[in-house]
């Protein structure tokens, strides 16, 4: 049962343009969301996060938007750079429910390719 | 400040052998998590540990798999009698704290480079 879904396995964007990566979730207990970037043969690297009390969080070229009513979040990268080419994972953390509190639930990832 | 260290990076085992994967968390981190990634899939939670305690092992198969995080030394994920289906990338993550207060909520986990297990 995939509780975090990234329905686009790939995205191709020209350098300098905006990249928009989408993520949907089904569990209303999720209250904290993260985006990770992953290069081949490396571990995921934390990019940006957002708590459910906010609807936007910005860090440099990266902005995450959260729409709780739609159970949807997105990551905007602007301007996109060739070095941004990687797999991007959306992850979610549930609110306090005892022992499941610590785990992250991941989507399957979206391969972003930024071409010159 | 070294990141999360995992070793070995690559591990090859024959069916029926044991696999031991090690993880040293970032300095100052007392929470350790193990995840498994199968090809073309996202990371799947396996187990969450604090020093000398297993907090949540509900994502780990009940047979052949075990994990520990002793008072001294790295966290160990142990797979006994490996089968071909165990072939995957295993990632360890650590975090300094788990903040549940709604106003300052946080659960950032920092990942190691992973151990790629191949079972022949």
């Amino acid at each position: 049962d995939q509780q975090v879904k990234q329905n686009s396995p790939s995205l191709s964007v020209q350098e300098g343009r905006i990249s928009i990566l989408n993520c949907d979730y089904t569990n209303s207990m999720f209250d904290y969301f993260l985006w990770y970037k992953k290069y081949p043969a490396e571990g995921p690297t934390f990019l940006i996060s957002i708590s459910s009390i906010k609807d936007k969080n910005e860090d440099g070229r990266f902005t995450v938007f959260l729409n709780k009513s739609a159970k949807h979040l997105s990551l905007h990268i602007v301007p996109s750079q060739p070095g941004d080419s990687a797999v991007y994972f959306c992850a979610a953390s549930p609110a306090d429910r005892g022992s499941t509190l610590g785990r992250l639930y991941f989507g399957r990832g979206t391969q972003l390719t930024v071409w010159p | 400040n070294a990141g999360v260290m995992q070793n070995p990076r690559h591990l090859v085992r024959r069916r029926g052998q044991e696999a031991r994967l090690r993880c040293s968390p970032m300095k100052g981190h007392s929470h350790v998590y193990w995840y498994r990634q199968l090809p073309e899939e996202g990371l799947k939670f396996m187990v969450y540990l604090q020093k000398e305690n297993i907090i949540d092992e509900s994502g780990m198969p009940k047979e052949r798999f075990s994990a520990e995080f002793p008072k001294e030394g790295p966290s160990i994920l142990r797979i006994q009698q490996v089968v071909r289906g165990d072939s995957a990338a295993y990632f360890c993550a650590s975090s300094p704290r788990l903040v549940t207060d709604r106003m300052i909520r946080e659960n950032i986990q920092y990942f190691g480079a992973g151990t790629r297990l191949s079972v022949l």
Side-chain angles (χ1 to χ4, degrees):
Chain A
D1 180 26
Q2 194 75 15
Q3 299 186 50
V4 177
K5 298 177 184 178
Q6 294 178 257
N7 292 319
S8 298
S10 64
L11 175 67
S12 183
V13 171
Q14 187 175 25
E15 181 178 8
R17 308 294 284 265
I18 185 171
S19 294
I20 300 176
L21 297 105
N22 293 303
C23 177
D24 297 293
Y25 61 96
T26 57
N27 190 339
S28 58
M29 291 307 300
F30 291 148
D31 72 338
Y32 186 73
F33 304 88
L34 310 91
W35 284 95
Y36 285 86
K37 177 169 77 171
K38 186 180 180 303
Y39 294 117
E42 294 185 13
T45 301
F46 170 72
L47 271 178
I48 191 169
S49 63
I50 188 166
S51 161
S52 62
I53 63 171
K54 298 182 177 180
D55 54 20
K56 176 183 174 181
N57 189 25
E58 191 171 352
D59 183 1
R61 297 186 298 115
F62 302 92
T63 303
V64 56
F65 295 91
L66 175 63
N67 182 334
K68 288 188 293 294
S69 61
K71 293 192 176 67
H72 176 84
L73 64 155
S74 60
L75 174 68
H76 292 211
I77 306 173
V78 56
S80 301
Q81 300 172 354
D84 295 331
S85 297
V87 177
Y88 288 77
F89 289 101
C90 171
S93 177
D96 190 355
R97 268 294 193 250
S99 64
T100 64
L101 182 60
R103 68 169 67 183
L104 295 180
Y105 293 79
F106 281 83
R108 294 188 176 214
T110 297
Q111 171 69 57
L112 173 66
T113 302
V114 181
W115 48 280
Chain B
N1 186 15
V4 178
M5 303 300 292
Q6 288 189 249
N7 68 82
R9 290 294 308 274
H10 301 274
L11 183 60
V12 179
R13 285 287 177 266
R14 296 191 181 279
R15 280 179 296 169
Q17 291 184 319
E18 178 179 288
R20 278 186 180 238
L21 289 65
R22 294 174 186 76
C23 169
S24 295
M26 288 179 71
K27 188 176 181 180
H29 287 192
S30 58
H31 301 252
V32 166
Y33 313 82
W34 286 92
Y35 294 83
R36 176 164 65 176
Q37 185 184 25
L38 296 171
E40 308 302 324
E41 294 197 8
L43 282 72
K44 294 277 197 283
F45 169 82
M46 297 182 75
V47 61
Y48 164 30
L49 310 105
Q50 293 182 26
K51 283 284 187 183
E52 299 184 281
N53 281 306
I54 297 175
I55 307 301
D56 179 7
E57 58 181 345
S58 60
M60 199 159 63
K62 294 196 184 328
E63 295 182 357
R64 303 189 297 109
F65 285 74
S66 62
E68 62 176 3
F69 188 18
K71 187 176 179 182
E72 303 289 338
S75 175
I76 306 286
L77 179 67
R78 182 180 177 208
I79 311 172
Q80 295 179 289
Q81 299 173 335
V82 296
V83 301
R84 289 220 173 104
D86 297 332
S87 296
Y90 291 82
F91 292 97
C92 170
S94 72
S95 67
R97 59 188 172 275
L98 186 56
V99 181
T100 60
D101 184 305
R102 196 164 173 266
M103 299 307 294
I104 53 170
R105 183 78 167 94
E106 185 177 296
N107 183 14
I108 300 174
Q109 298 180 16
Y110 299 88
F111 283 81
T115 294
R116 276 140 192 90
L117 173 65
S118 297
V119 180
L120 304 180

